[in-house]
Amino acid sequence: MTRQRRKVLQRMSIRWRLALISLGVIALLLGAFGFIISFTAENALFTNEATALHNEGHLAMTVLKQHPLEIGRTPTDPQGTPPLNFKVLATILTQRLTSTSTDATVLSLQGNVIISGSDIPFSPPTLAVNPILVQQTLHTSQDNSTYLIKRDAQNERQLVIFMPIVSNHHTIGILQINTLTAPIDQFITTLRWILILGVLGSLSLAALLMFPLISAALHPLVAMEQTSRAIAAGNLSLRLQTLETDDEIGHMTSSFNDMVAQLETAFRRQKQLTADISHELRTPLTALRGSLEILLIGIERGDGTATRRLVSNMHEETERMQRMIDDLLILTRLDEGKAIIHLTATNIRTVVDKVYDQAQQLTRGQTIHCQISPDMPLVCVDPDRLQQVLLNITDNALKYTPADGHIDYVVRSEEADSVIIEVRDTGIGISAEAVPHVFDRFYRADPARTRHAQHVGGSGLGLAIAKELIEAQGGEILLHSTYSQGTTITIRLQAISAPEQPVEKVTQIIH
């Protein structure tokens, strides 16, 4: 049954669920409030009635002031023997207290009836109360408000009080006064109906006001649900209307729009990446196919030089595809948190010298200079990863620097705790609009199909990978570029003092 109710609730819209839960909470609070009012009112009326009956008993006892009788508070006095005229006095007392709504009875200490006022016409019937209960009530009574509620022979409720009769400091009897509670019951019944009608009216008014208010409050969520459906269908250009409210829904709307904008950008870049990779792979594959066809048909006619040239071109094209695949694999490992960084205390001059030597083999006429300040401190990096980053940056610089241009490596220390590596080129530069995005994944400043022949672009992954790797080593990478003048990429690394023991630390990149 509980599972079925849960399924029914799950099928309901959030508007109905909120309304039902809210109405349930309001009904519970109003019901509890009504119960407290009803219970408090009934208890107060019964207490007041009991106090009034005690006062009437004390007042009636003043008629017998010439006799040594009085009303005690509790039967703490020792039991005594009633005087010889006790029945006469008890008769006067009961007649004094008995009316059409009240009955008075004098009981012995054992709970037996001595004199009853029920013989008077139209008086309530006498209640027979268990003697043990009488004694318990007397002993627990601390004030004039203690009472019992009992039903008589006619099944009507009566309020009963007990008062000890004392003579010469001895308890000689018990005065029982009972009265019908019908007036109080009728008042409490009327009060309960008023409360019930008030609760129902309040719930009706709450329901009338609640549905429009909930609908208005959930309108942004409804719009978000409709927009998300359209986005799921492929329309990533849709956005939610921005709310000016500083609440959770307003924040969620803003976050939702930001999320969709990032998704749209990511899908657009991935689409562009697919086109770029297709274009990049088509070129080497076409060259490979052409070279293989030439070899197969034997156009080279046994010319060894031509054969070596064809095989060399094929090798270059396979290396180009391998570099692209390696970039994609590195990016995948970075995304999955599986890229391992081996941090060791490294002499920065060793790494830069290796990169400089390799860069000399990659030039297309450009001039390369290397300037390293003396007494450079050690840095805690992964030498292989840092060399990979510098070669990637150098490759980009060579692609976009003309043959008569130059590339400079500048390495210096800064503030005794940082090592700065700058790679400067005098190439075509990057436009101001593209600079903020150069480290974004899949971003390419020049479209794949409109490149200048000399400026062969990559897949848009190199600088993004460089940024991830440098930051994983506790460093920072920045780019400054002026269009048609050149680009400077700055890498800042943390310097360390010379360790007595070799420092080695393995770090796993986790996103």
Side-chain angles (χ1 to χ4, degrees):
M1 189 66 180
T2 304
R3 185 177 298 177
Q4 292 178 351
R5 291 177 180 174
R6 188 179 301 171
K7 288 182 178 179
V8 172
L9 287 175
Q10 289 176 349
R11 293 192 187 101
M12 288 183 180
S13 65
I14 189 173
R15 180 184 310 170
W16 278 99
R17 276 185 281 174
L18 285 176
L20 290 177
I21 292 174
S22 300
L23 287 176
V25 172
I26 293 174
L28 182 62
L29 293 176
L30 291 178
F33 184 67
F35 173 79
I36 293 173
I37 292 177
S38 174
F39 176 80
T40 304
E42 184 179 37
N43 187 62
L45 291 174
F46 284 154
T47 301
N48 291 338
E49 186 67 19
T51 302
L53 291 179
H54 276 89
N55 293 336
E56 289 182 12
H58 286 281
L59 184 62
M61 191 61 73
T62 60
V63 177
L64 306 175
K65 60 183 179 179
Q66 68 275 20
H67 302 282
L69 296 179
E70 59 181 348
I71 300 296
R73 297 185 63 85
T74 59
T76 57
D77 296 319
Q79 297 182 5
T81 303
L84 296 177
N85 62 344
F86 181 64
K87 286 189 177 182
V88 176
L89 298 175
T91 301
I92 296 173
L93 182 62
T94 55
Q95 290 178 351
R96 178 77 175 176
L97 292 171
T98 302
S99 64
T100 57
S101 61
T102 305
D103 175 60
T105 304
V106 176
L107 307 175
S108 66
L109 295 176
Q110 290 74 32
N112 300 319
V113 177
I114 298 177
I115 296 295
S116 175
S118 61
D119 297 334
I120 299 176
F122 307 110
S123 64
T126 301
L127 284 174
V129 183
N130 190 312
I132 298 177
L133 184 58
V134 173
Q135 293 296 327
Q136 290 177 349
T137 305
L138 283 172
H139 282 83
T140 57
S141 176
Q142 298 296 328
D143 51 34
N144 293 337
S145 60
T146 304
Y147 61 88
L148 290 178
I149 301 296
K150 301 288 291 183
R151 289 190 180 273
D152 57 27
Q154 300 176 1
N155 201 31
E156 293 183 349
R157 295 205 309 168
Q158 293 195 43
L159 184 145
V160 188
I161 67 168
F162 302 98
M163 308 170 67
I165 301 174
V166 179
S167 176
N168 296 323
H169 304 291
H170 288 78
T171 303
I172 60 175
I174 300 172
L175 174 62
Q176 171 184 315
I177 306 176
N178 50 283
T179 183
L180 294 172
T181 62
I184 297 177
D185 294 339
Q186 291 176 359
F187 176 81
I188 294 300
T189 301
T190 303
L191 177 62
R192 287 172 179 171
W193 276 110
I194 292 174
L195 291 173
I196 290 173
L197 293 176
V199 169
L200 293 177
S202 300
L203 288 176
S204 301
L205 181 61
L208 291 176
L209 296 176
M210 189 176 299
F211 281 99
L213 291 176
I214 290 179
S215 298
L218 295 181
H219 177 71
L221 293 181
V222 175
M224 184 179 297
E225 187 267 341
Q226 295 173 350
T227 304
S228 63
R229 286 181 180 273
I231 291 173
N235 189 357
L236 294 176
S237 62
L238 291 179
R239 298 292 185 274
L240 292 176
Q241 181 180 359
T242 302
L243 301 178
E244 297 181 357
T245 57
D246 189 19
D247 55 11
E248 290 80 0
I249 294 181
H251 298 162
M252 185 168 59
T253 300
S254 178
S255 299
F256 182 86
N257 286 338
D258 293 341
M259 178 188 68
V260 175
Q262 292 180 7
L263 284 175
E264 184 181 18
T265 302
F267 281 128
R268 184 175 63 250
R269 290 178 181 175
Q270 288 181 355
K271 186 177 180 180
Q272 181 65 40
L273 174 65
T274 302
D276 290 347
I277 291 177
S278 299
H279 178 77
E280 294 289 343
L281 290 177
R282 184 183 296 113
T283 301
L285 288 175
T286 301
L288 286 173
R289 180 179 179 181
S291 299
L292 289 172
E293 288 178 350
I294 293 174
L295 290 175
L296 288 174
I297 63 178
I299 293 182
E300 77 288 353
R301 297 177 182 177
D303 188 349
T305 302
T307 300
R308 283 192 298 272
R309 185 173 63 253
L310 289 173
V311 173
S312 177
N313 291 338
M314 293 167 60
H315 182 262
E316 291 178 0
E317 296 300 335
T318 56
E319 285 187 338
R320 179 179 174 185
M321 289 190 291
Q322 184 64 47
R323 286 194 299 271
M324 182 182 298
I325 293 172
D326 289 342
D327 286 345
L328 292 173
L329 288 176
I330 292 173
L331 183 61
T332 301
R333 293 192 183 99
L334 290 170
D335 289 336
E336 294 178 352
K338 295 181 179 179
I340 305 299
I341 304 295
H342 296 273
L343 299 179
T344 59
T346 304
N347 187 335
I348 196 66
R349 179 184 295 274
T350 303
V351 177
V352 176
D353 285 343
K354 288 182 180 180
V355 174
Y356 174 76
D357 292 338
Q358 290 178 304
Q360 294 287 356
Q361 309 300 320
L362 301 175
T363 60
R364 302 179 182 89
Q366 302 95 331
T367 302
I368 299 180
H369 301 282
C370 183
Q371 179 183 348
I372 303 176
S373 301
D375 300 327
M376 293 295 300
L378 298 177
V379 291
C380 187
V381 296
D382 185 329
D384 294 334
R385 295 294 189 182
L386 180 59
Q387 183 176 343
Q388 176 186 353
V389 170
L390 292 175
L391 284 175
N392 197 323
I393 295 173
T394 301
D395 185 60
N396 282 340
L398 291 172
K399 287 179 182 178
Y400 298 101
T401 301
D404 58 349
H406 60 86
I407 298 170
D408 299 326
Y409 297 103
V410 179
V411 182
R412 69 180 190 278
S413 59
E414 185 177 271
E415 299 178 358
D417 62 350
S418 297
V419 171
I420 305 300
I421 304 174
E422 291 183 347
V423 181
R424 307 170 183 171
D425 66 60
T426 58
I428 62 175
I430 303 173
S431 64
E433 296 80 7
V435 168
H437 306 288
V438 292
F439 292 111
D440 294 345
R441 297 182 182 183
F442 313 122
Y443 183 79
R444 301 180 62 161
D446 55 328
R449 292 170 177 79
T450 58
R451 304 185 190 111
H452 190 277
Q454 183 180 354
H455 305 142
V456 180
S459 60
L461 302 176
L463 290 180
I465 294 173
K467 184 175 186 296
E468 292 276 359
L469 292 176
I470 291 299
E471 291 180 352
Q473 298 173 75
E476 180 184 14
I477 183 169
L478 302 172
L479 182 144
H480 174 75
S481 183
T482 302
Y483 190 71
S484 75
Q485 294 185 14
T487 301
T488 299
I489 294 181
T490 303
I491 298 175
R492 181 186 301 272
L493 300 172
Q494 291 294 324
I496 61 173
S497 58
E500 299 178 0
Q501 303 258 347
V503 176
E504 184 170 352
K505 180 180 178 182
V506 179
T507 303
Q508 184 172 7
I509 300 175
I510 300 177
H511 297 282

